[in-house]
Amino acid sequence: MPAAREDAASEYPVIDVGPLLSAGDPNEDVRFILARRREVGRALLAACERFGFFSIVCTIQKESIPWADVVDLLTLNTRDDLPDDFLWEYARHDRSEGCLIEGKDLTFAHVDAWFSQKQADKDAYAMTNGRGYQRIGENVTNGRRDQHEAIDFYRPCAVSDGGLRAPHPYIGPNDLNERVDRYAKGMTRIGKYILRALLGAIRKEYLHYRIADDFTEDILEDDIAGCPFWILRLINSPGCDSDGEKTSCGWHTDYGLLTFIHATHPGLQIEVSGKIIDVPHHPEHMVCNVGEMLQLFTDDSLKATRHRVVRKPSDENCARPRISIAFFYEPNYDAVISNRHLTDQSALESGYSSPREVRYADFLRQKVATNFAKVDEDPRA
């Protein structure tokens, strides 16, 4: 365990990714638009190299756009190469004239409503092959039961293979599955745009990275993440009282490329250089972090940072449940991830770096099996 705790709120990065998500002012010189995107990419790279974590906001025409609306608007895009101008139009639209979006977004209220059901009703949708509902204590981290309940969704497949590839779980006669799919579509685009900007910045850092001759940003978007096997987790962490801290989720790293977390309350902590940092919470911020597959792809140049969620009596509204929506931007299910495309130059010269690769499906199955390992007592007792 880290021995020190540091308040790094003043140094923790908050990055405006609006330039990546909007086509920009149609009357502006495209060179200035592209320059701003490159600037965002450099900020993303600096944040990943130092913290492995950062928070993002979306500002269009000096207006901060709520993330629920950002995600919903991005589902309307007809192109994958560059964002359409829906966010630009939304920012300049007079909301009193009516909304531009359909209202099928996934919000904290929808998640809270589902978890507010009677326990017996939730238990009817218990997890099967990684998908579905888990009671408080059924998720295990480092051999300890986590103090949260959750519903896990993966990218739906029409036919089950008896494992993680399967249709969505049935979770009751409501439209939550539809909202999940819509949210995942929008978040997949956000993940793609952010990863493209990040890798574009890496390509400019030729002094620090050995880059393979066949490397382009398209490698991740086609062979590795052209059809990402995304995971979406809806989480309800009970509040705490004056008796002390409650660990909602223990120390861990995430599996995939990038993780995006939107939460109602604080509690997220990260470990950087042996110090614990409380990630500043803001309702308009979404937290993003590096996963283990991106660490492998960049030959450990970008690190998957250990983190946990703790409810503390000193936190504002500590007695209220913490609702969070976690979206995991993952590789293709059958993708083979290796470190051959990007290698840290100093590691290469010192002989530290050597070829490594993993099939993501095998890696994911092993991780999921560990997350729900059996322990002595029955959580339903």
Side-chain angles (χ1 to χ4, degrees):
M1 277 291 293
R5 176 167 295 178
E6 178 183 24
D7 181 7
S10 61
E11 300 178 3
Y12 176 82
V14 179
I15 302 172
D16 183 2
V17 296
L20 305 180
L21 306 183
S22 169
D25 188 343
N27 298 317
E28 185 179 16
D29 189 323
V30 68
R31 291 175 297 180
F32 296 118
I33 296 175
L34 295 177
R36 280 197 295 275
R37 290 177 180 165
R38 288 192 293 270
E39 183 179 352
V40 173
R42 289 192 294 269
L44 293 170
L45 179 57
C48 288
E49 288 179 332
R50 181 175 179 189
F51 291 94
F53 266 78
F54 53 91
S55 293
I56 56 175
V57 296
C58 180
T59 304
I60 309 293
Q61 299 187 75
K62 299 182 179 180
E63 180 174 349
S64 180
I65 311 298
W67 277 113
D69 291 348
V70 172
V71 174
D72 210 28
L73 285 161
L74 287 176
T75 66
L76 305 177
N77 278 11
T78 58
R79 299 180 296 168
D80 276 338
D81 54 342
L82 286 174
D84 289 331
D85 59 1
F86 293 109
L87 282 169
W88 187 265
E89 290 298 320
Y90 177 87
R92 63 194 292 265
H93 181 66
D94 183 355
R95 243 67 95 225
S96 65
E97 299 175 0
C99 190
L100 291 175
I101 53 182
E102 301 176 29
K104 284 292 185 180
D105 51 333
L106 177 66
T107 67
F108 294 133
H110 297 119
V111 180
D112 184 50
W114 197 93
F115 283 119
S116 296
Q117 299 179 92
K118 295 179 180 179
Q119 188 62 54
D121 293 335
K122 292 184 288 187
D123 287 341
Y125 313 117
M127 184 177 65
T128 302
N129 292 329
R131 299 173 184 252
Y133 172 70
Q134 308 111 52
R135 270 193 176 197
I136 293 174
E138 285 189 330
N139 192 84
V140 176
T141 304
N142 297 324
R144 296 185 177 183
R145 296 192 179 279
D146 293 324
Q147 296 305 298
H148 69 255
E149 58 181 343
I151 320 173
D152 279 3
F153 300 84
Y154 293 78
R155 186 185 188 100
C157 301
V159 179
S160 174
D161 66 356
L164 292 175
R165 285 194 285 197
H168 273 323
Y170 177 70
I171 54 172
N174 56 52
D175 62 354
L176 190 59
N177 277 344
E178 180 183 351
R179 292 182 185 276
V180 162
D181 282 337
R182 189 177 181 90
Y183 188 87
K185 181 179 179 181
M187 287 304 306
T188 296
R189 291 179 185 241
I190 291 175
K192 176 178 180 177
Y193 299 147
I194 288 179
L195 196 56
R196 174 176 279 267
L198 179 60
L199 294 180
I202 286 177
R203 291 191 68 184
K204 300 295 183 182
E205 296 293 330
Y206 58 89
L207 294 178
H208 301 289
Y209 296 92
R210 178 185 66 81
I211 300 177
D213 292 337
D214 63 347
F215 172 77
T216 68
E217 290 87 337
D218 292 335
I219 288 174
L220 268 175
E221 295 171 14
D222 296 332
D223 298 342
I224 295 177
C227 184
F229 193 66
W230 53 260
I231 306 170
L232 193 147
R233 194 152 213 261
L234 308 180
I235 307 167
N236 178 34
S237 302
C240 66
D241 51 33
S242 58
D243 291 340
E245 297 183 351
K246 179 181 293 184
T247 301
S248 172
C249 186
W251 289 108
H252 66 285
T253 54
D254 291 338
Y255 317 152
L257 297 170
L258 293 170
T259 300
F260 298 87
I261 307 165
H262 200 198
T264 56
H265 296 91
L268 180 62
Q269 295 180 330
I270 62 177
E271 180 191 346
V272 179
S273 300
K275 297 180 179 179
I276 298 176
I277 297 173
D278 292 309
V279 173
H281 177 266
H282 190 284
E284 293 184 4
H285 292 181
M286 185 180 289
V287 176
C288 182
N289 62 278
V290 173
E292 293 179 48
M293 291 297 95
L294 187 54
Q295 175 173 330
L296 173 58
F297 186 81
T298 61
D299 198 31
D300 296 338
S301 296
L302 306 183
K303 295 291 198 300
T305 300
R306 290 203 334 145
H307 55 284
R308 68 174 180 174
V309 176
V310 176
R311 305 304 310 278
K312 297 183 294 183
S314 58
D315 288 337
E316 184 178 1
N317 296 319
C318 65
R320 300 184 63 180
R322 180 182 187 268
I323 301 295
S324 54
I325 302 173
F327 179 80
F328 301 89
Y329 183 60
E330 309 292 279
N332 302 340
Y333 187 75
D334 289 317
V336 175
I337 315 299
S338 79
N339 65 337
R340 76 173 187 85
H341 296 293
L342 295 172
T343 303
D344 182 270
Q345 186 66 31
S346 61
L348 184 70
E349 293 171 352
S350 66
Y352 171 77
S353 181
S354 59
R356 291 175 293 147
E357 68 177 32
V358 63
R359 180 173 175 265
Y360 179 65
D362 299 333
F363 179 81
L364 177 63
R365 283 197 295 266
Q366 186 273 329
K367 286 284 189 176
V368 171
T370 302
N371 266 5
F372 301 100
K374 294 184 180 299
V375 290
D376 292 340
E377 71 276 11
D378 184 353
R380 296 176 185 273

